[in-house]
Amino acid sequence: MEALPKNITIEAEPYPYTFPLSSTALLLIDLQRDFILPSGFGDIQSGTNLTAVTAVVPNCVRILQAFRELELPIFHTREGHLPDLSDCPSSKLNRQASAPGTTHSKVIGDPGELGRLLVRGEYGHDIVDECRPKLGEVVVDKPGKGAFWNTNLLEELVGWGITHLIVGGVTIECCVTTTVREANDRGFECCIIEECAAGYNDDFKAPSLNMIHWSQGLFGFVSSLPTLLEALTPTRHSSSAPAPSLGFESPPSTPPVWDGRLTLASLRKSYKSGLSPVIVATSLYARIEEYSQTKSTFIRLVDRSALISYAESLQKLFPDLTNLPPLYGVPFTLKDSINVAGIPTTLACPPLTHIPSRSSKIYSRLISLGAIYIGKTNLDQFATGLTGCRSPHGVPASVYNPDYISGGSSSGSAVSVGAELASFSIATDTAGSGRVPAGFNGVVGWKPTKGTVSFSGVMNACESLDCLSFMVTSEGGVRDVRKLWNLVRGYDPDDPYSKAPRSLPLPIVNALAEKKWKFALPDRKAVAECSPQYRKLFYQAIGGLHEIGGEVKEGDWGLFEEAGKLLYDGALVNERLASLPGNEWVGREKDELHPVIREILQNVLKKGVSAAEAYKDIRKMTVLTRKVNTTLFNPSHPSYIDALIVPTAPFHPRISAVLKDPITINSRLGTFTHFGNVLDLCAIAVPAGHYMEDGIKMPFSITFLGRGGSDARVLEIASLFEGLVGVGARNLV
Ligand code: TIU
C-alpha cells in the first residue's frame, strides 16, 4: 500500500483543513439505537423524523472503514444515565416534559420498546450494529450533550496524542455541535463531515454547520465525505500511476512476509497480510532456545508446544484478517511479580512463591487484546534493587556485554526485550526498576503516572510507590509505548492507588505543528557523579534539544535530590516490610533469602524507625510533591518546565563490581530515578547514544520526567527526541 503523507489537506469551509495523520482521530457522536431507530428516545422526542439520522449511518460506516483500514484512532460516544438516574439533572429529566402542552410523553428512564430510555446497559442505549465499536476503539459514556462534561474523553484524546478531530454523528443541533464547541475550547482542531452528521429538524442542519465555520472558523471546519475519503485513499498521493486492472480478481500470489522485527507496526502489517502467529511463535521460540542467557532471563517459559497451540487457537479465533484485535499475535513477557492464574508467582523468592487463582488485570487485558504470553522474567528479589544481581535464578547480563549488569529489578524483562525475544515486557518500577534496566539494555522503559494502569494482581514491593512499567524495543520506541499504555490504562476501583478519572491535572492540547517546550537538568555536581562517557553523552544529547523546540531552564535539583533520599535513607523503606508476611517471617526465612536482600531487610528492622518518624517522612514527601507541582511543574510559574531530563543512570557497572559492593553501587544507580514515584512523576527512558568500552559498543540512555498526569506531554517530547536522534539513537553512533 502506498504511504499517505504526514499531513493531509482537504477542501473545507471556511478554508482548507490540514490534519496530521499521527495525531488525528475520528469522533463519532451518539450513533445509538435510542437516537436512530423507531421507538427510541429520539423518535419520541422528535415526533418521528428519523429520515436524516438514519441516512448518516451508511456514511459513518464508510468513514469508519477508512479510519480502521489506516489504523487511525477511533472514539465513540454514547449519551445515557445510570439506572437510578442519579446523574441526570432536572434540566434533562423534567424541563421539556414540564412545558405547557408538552409533546414529551416519555422522559429519560421511562420504559420504551428498546428498553429504558437513555439508560446505560439498555438495548436502546448502545450503538447501532452497523457502527459497533471494535476492540481497541474507545467508547466514552457521557451524561450530557457535550462529550467532555463529566467524562474521560479529554484524558483519552490527550493520552493518544490527538490534536485534530474528524467528527460525525447525531444530532447535529445538539450533541455534535455542543461537543465540537467544547473540543474547540480545549484546543482541538475539529472538522465536521456534513454527510455524517444529521438531526431531527432538517432546517437546523445548515445553520448549525454555518455557525461552526462562521467568521473564518469560529469553532472549526466543515468538509464533505467524498473529499475526506479521497484524501485518505493512498493511491491519490502516489506519484506513479495505479496498477492497471486485470479485469478479474487475482488470487494472492505472494506469501505473507515477516521481516522478523517485533515492533507492533511490523507485526501488525504482516498479520494483516496473512502471516500466521504460529510462524511467529515458532521462530520466536527458536530464538529463545538459542539465546545464551535464556536461563537467567526467564524464571518460567511457556512450553514450546503450548505456545504453538495457543498461536493456533488465536488464529482460529480471528479468521478475518480485516478484524484482528489491536495486539493480535504480539508476544510479551511479564516480570515474575505479576500474577497469571495457575502459574507460580515467585518474586524470585522461594518462600513467597504461590500459585494465584486469578490473573492480574494487566495480564487479562493484554490477552483480551490478542497478545501472546511467552513467560515470566527474572527480577531482583521482591523487586528490590536496581542491579539485576539479587536473584536466586542467576544474574542476567546486559545484552550488550556479558560482563556488565542488566540492571534491575526488572532484569529479565529488559533482557527479554533487548535480545528481541518479545515485543514488550510488563514490569514494575518503584525506585527506577523500569528505567535503569531499560537503559542498560538499549530499550525504551516507560513508567506512567502511578495509578494510571491497574496494579491489581501484581505483588507489591512498596505499595504506595509501586507502578507498572512498560519496556519496548528501541525500534518500537515511543510509538509502541503510547499504544500499549493507552490500550491498558484506566481506572480500577479494586486497586486502592488507582487514580480516579479526572483526578489528574487538566492537560493542555497544542495543535501547532511547531512544538515549544521547556526543560531543566540536574545540577553539574550531580552530573559529575556520572562516568566520563555518560557525562559526555548526556551533554551531547542535551545539546541538540533546541532544534526540536526545547528551551533549557534553571531547575531546582535540590528538590529531586531530597525526594530521592526519602526512598531508602528514611522511613519509607519500611513500607517494603509491609508487603511481606511479617517481621518474624524475615527472621524465620532468613536462610531462604538472597544474602543482599536479607542484609537490607535486617538493617531496616534493626533501625527500628518509629511511627512518628514515618509520618514525618510522609509529610516531607507530600510537601516536596506539592512544591514541585506548584513551582517547576506549574504552567503559570516563571520557572515552569515540561520535563526534567536526566541520564537514566550515572554509570554502567560490571557484574563483578556489584557483587563486591552490592549496596552502595545499587544506591548510586538510583541517583536519577529514586525520586520519580516519591514525587508522583511519570518518566520515560530512551536510548540516547552509544560508547565503546573494552572494544564493545555499550548503550547510553536519558530519561524524561514530567509531572504526574502529564504523561502524554512527556511521551510527545520523548518522541520529538526520537525524531532528532533516530529511534534507538541510531543517528548518534
Ligand atoms: N435531544 C436531542 O436531540 N439529542 C440528544 O439529547 N442527544 C444527542 O444529540 N446525541
Side-chain angles (χ1 to χ4, degrees):
M1 206 208 306
E2 300 290 335
L4 286 169
K6 271 165 95 172
N7 292 302
I8 293 186
T9 301
I10 55 174
E11 281 306 317
E13 291 292 348
Y15 60 87
Y17 174 70
T18 298
F19 57 98
L21 268 189
S22 62
S23 63
T24 298
L26 173 63
L27 178 61
L28 290 179
I29 307 290
D30 299 0
L31 291 166
Q32 296 160 259
R33 297 186 184 110
D34 250 340
F35 290 118
I36 291 172
L37 299 188
S39 309
F41 178 79
D43 192 8
I44 294 166
Q45 287 229 325
S46 67
T48 61
N49 181 9
L50 297 176
T51 322
V53 291
T54 310
V56 299
V57 173
N59 295 338
C60 289
V61 169
R62 293 179 69 194
I63 210 172
L64 264 172
Q65 274 168 349
F67 270 70
R68 283 175 180 158
E69 246 160 60
L70 293 167
E71 305 258 324
L72 299 175
I74 297 168
F75 295 76
H76 307 257
T77 67
R78 295 186 300 201
E79 180 179 342
H81 297 276
L82 300 172
D84 67 0
L85 304 185
S86 55
D87 60 346
C88 186
S90 65
S91 58
K92 287 187 82 177
L93 195 56
N94 302 331
R95 191 174 55 226
Q96 292 161 292
S98 310
T102 187
T103 56
H104 293 256
S105 54
K106 286 188 176 176
V107 296
I108 294 171
D110 282 350
E113 284 177 33
L114 309 180
R116 289 179 65 203
L117 299 174
L118 283 194
V119 170
R120 291 181 193 173
E122 299 286 335
Y123 179 76
H125 173 261
D126 214 346
I127 291 172
V128 291
D129 293 334
E130 297 90 324
C131 299
R132 186 186 312 172
K134 294 202 173 185
L135 198 58
E137 295 174 6
V138 180
V139 180
V140 172
D141 279 319
K142 63 192 188 60
K145 315 284 198 223
F148 288 89
W149 157 247
N150 221 355
T151 72
N152 55 352
L153 180 60
L154 180 60
E155 286 167 1
E156 285 287 344
L157 291 172
V158 170
W160 284 94
I162 301 304
T163 55
H164 289 63
L165 293 169
I166 304 281
V167 186
V170 299
T171 64
I172 192 132
E173 60 269 16
C174 183
C175 295
V176 173
T177 41
T178 303
T179 296
V180 167
R181 285 162 192 246
E182 286 186 343
N184 172 68
D185 278 345
R186 285 154 183 80
F188 294 98
E189 291 290 358
C190 300
C191 182
I192 299 179
I193 303 304
E194 61 179 315
E195 296 86 344
C196 295
Y200 300 130
N201 186 328
D202 297 339
D203 296 340
F204 288 163
K205 180 154 179 171
S208 295
L209 292 176
N210 289 344
M211 273 190 269
I212 293 298
H213 67 75
W214 179 70
S215 185
Q216 279 123 59
L218 187 59
F219 301 109
F221 298 81
V222 175
S223 187
S224 76
L225 184 60
T227 309
L228 176 69
L229 292 179
E230 200 205 342
L232 292 178
T233 307
T235 44
R236 190 193 89 147
H237 302 276
S238 157
S239 50
S240 56
S245 163
L246 298 174
F248 58 88
E249 286 292 317
S250 62
S253 51
T254 26
V257 274
W258 176 46
D259 53 14
R261 284 147 74 217
L262 291 172
T263 63
L264 300 190
S266 177
L267 282 173
R268 183 121 189 118
K269 194 167 158 219
S270 303
Y271 284 136
K272 280 173 91 172
S273 72
L275 174 72
S276 161
V278 177
I279 293 182
V280 174
T282 312
S283 79
L284 202 63
Y285 217 90
R287 254 190 232 184
I288 291 171
E289 282 179 329
E290 272 168 31
Y291 185 58
S292 61
Q293 290 205 56
T294 291
K295 265 212 159 96
S296 62
T297 303
F298 292 95
I299 290 180
R300 195 183 179 95
L301 259 175
V302 173
D303 282 347
R304 187 176 184 280
S305 58
L307 186 70
I308 288 167
S309 57
Y310 186 80
E312 277 166 358
S313 64
L314 198 62
Q315 192 172 6
K316 282 205 193 93
L317 199 59
F318 299 103
D320 176 2
L321 298 184
T322 64
N323 195 10
L324 299 174
L327 296 180
Y328 178 77
V330 177
F332 72 99
T333 62
L334 285 181
K335 184 174 183 170
D336 199 11
S337 55
I338 303 176
N339 289 341
V340 177
I343 293 176
T345 304
T346 73
L347 279 154
C349 180
L352 281 187
T353 298
H354 67 286
I355 300 181
S357 57
R358 290 181 65 168
S359 292
S360 54
K361 292 209 178 165
I362 180 72
Y363 170 84
S364 303
R365 174 76 178 149
L366 290 169
I367 293 298
S368 76
L369 292 166
I372 299 185
Y373 163 72
I374 302 288
K376 295 284 204 82
T377 56
N378 201 358
L379 66 157
D380 281 333
Q381 199 163 69
F382 310 142
T384 295
L386 288 175
T387 64
C389 305
R390 298 173 172 182
S391 164
H393 301 277
V395 175
S398 164
V399 296
Y400 282 76
N401 185 332
D403 293 337
Y404 286 77
I405 66 167
S406 60
S409 60
S410 317
S411 50
S413 284
V415 170
S416 69
V417 177
E420 300 202 30
L421 310 179
S423 293
F424 68 95
S425 186
I426 302 293
T428 63
D429 183 321
T430 308
S433 292
R435 291 161 275 166
V436 171
F440 289 164
N441 290 283
V443 304
V444 174
W446 165 235
K447 187 212 80 64
T449 301
K450 261 186 315 184
T452 59
V453 184
S454 170
F455 212 79
S456 291
V458 185
M459 307 313 292
N460 285 115
C462 188
E463 187 171 0
S464 68
L465 300 176
D466 285 337
C467 182
L468 283 185
S469 71
F470 300 69
M471 293 188 193
V472 308
T473 60
S474 62
E475 213 188 335
V478 178
R479 211 174 126 172
D480 281 5
V481 154
R482 185 186 275 138
K483 185 156 192 181
L484 289 171
W485 176 63
N486 276 301
L487 285 171
V488 302
R489 80 196 162 93
Y491 176 61
D492 173 15
D494 297 331
D495 171 359
Y497 289 92
S498 179
K499 297 219 163 83
R502 299 176 298 287
S503 65
L504 293 165
L506 275 183
I508 298 162
V509 178
N510 174 4
L512 288 175
E514 284 288 305
K515 308 285 181 197
K516 294 272 176 227
W517 53 282
K518 298 185 166 95
F519 65 96
L521 303 172
D523 64 18
R524 290 207 163 253
K525 206 171 116 255
V527 182
E529 295 274 307
C530 296
S531 65
Q533 296 99 323
Y534 269 36
R535 249 186 336 251
K536 182 169 156 242
L537 285 168
F538 182 61
Y539 287 121
Q540 177 187 311
I542 300 308
L545 295 181
H546 62 275
E547 290 174 39
I548 49 168
E551 181 197 332
V552 67
K553 300 270 298 238
E554 201 59 44
D556 186 351
W557 177 245
L559 293 175
F560 299 102
E561 212 169 19
E562 208 181 328
K565 285 198 182 118
L566 284 177
L567 194 62
Y568 282 115
D569 300 353
L572 301 187
V573 67
N574 283 270
E575 196 179 357
R576 290 188 188 253
L577 287 174
S579 302
L580 298 175
N583 294 359
E584 306 74 39
W585 178 90
V586 177
R588 215 168 47 237
E589 301 290 348
K590 65 180 185 322
D591 295 337
E592 297 292 319
L593 300 179
H594 188 279
V596 178
I597 299 291
R598 178 169 63 222
E599 188 181 337
I600 293 168
L601 295 179
Q602 285 176 336
N603 286 345
V604 175
L605 286 170
K606 219 187 297 161
K607 214 168 159 190
V609 170
S610 71
E613 282 170 291
Y615 278 108
K616 276 188 192 160
D617 274 5
I618 291 170
R619 181 171 195 283
K620 269 192 211 156
M621 175 164 78
T622 311
V623 169
L624 285 169
T625 306
R626 171 72 57 92
K627 195 149 181 199
V628 292
N629 287 343
T630 52
T631 59
L632 288 176
F633 291 129
N634 171 9
S636 51
H637 194 275
S639 63
Y640 176 70
I641 53 165
D642 296 282
L644 172 75
I645 307 180
V646 298
T648 301
F651 54 92
H652 193 164
R654 286 171 180 272
I655 293 173
S656 56
V658 173
L659 295 180
K660 255 187 241 146
D661 181 9
I663 294 182
T664 330
I665 292 185
N666 188 90
S667 114
R668 286 183 60 207
L669 286 177
T671 307
F672 301 111
T673 56
H674 278 168
F675 55 84
N677 283 317
V678 175
L679 296 174
D680 200 8
L681 309 179
C682 55
I684 184 162
V686 290
H690 294 96
Y691 62 99
M692 298 302 286
E693 182 99 41
D694 311 334
I696 294 177
K697 190 168 137 181
M698 297 293 285
F700 174 70
S701 162
I702 62 173
T703 295
F704 298 80
L705 297 115
R707 177 191 178 143
S710 71
D711 303 67
R713 184 83 175 133
V714 169
L715 289 177
E716 185 184 18
I717 292 169
S719 152
L720 291 173
F721 179 69
E722 241 177 25
L724 180 72
V725 301
V727 284
R730 209 184 280 136
N731 310 341
L732 284 183
V733 183

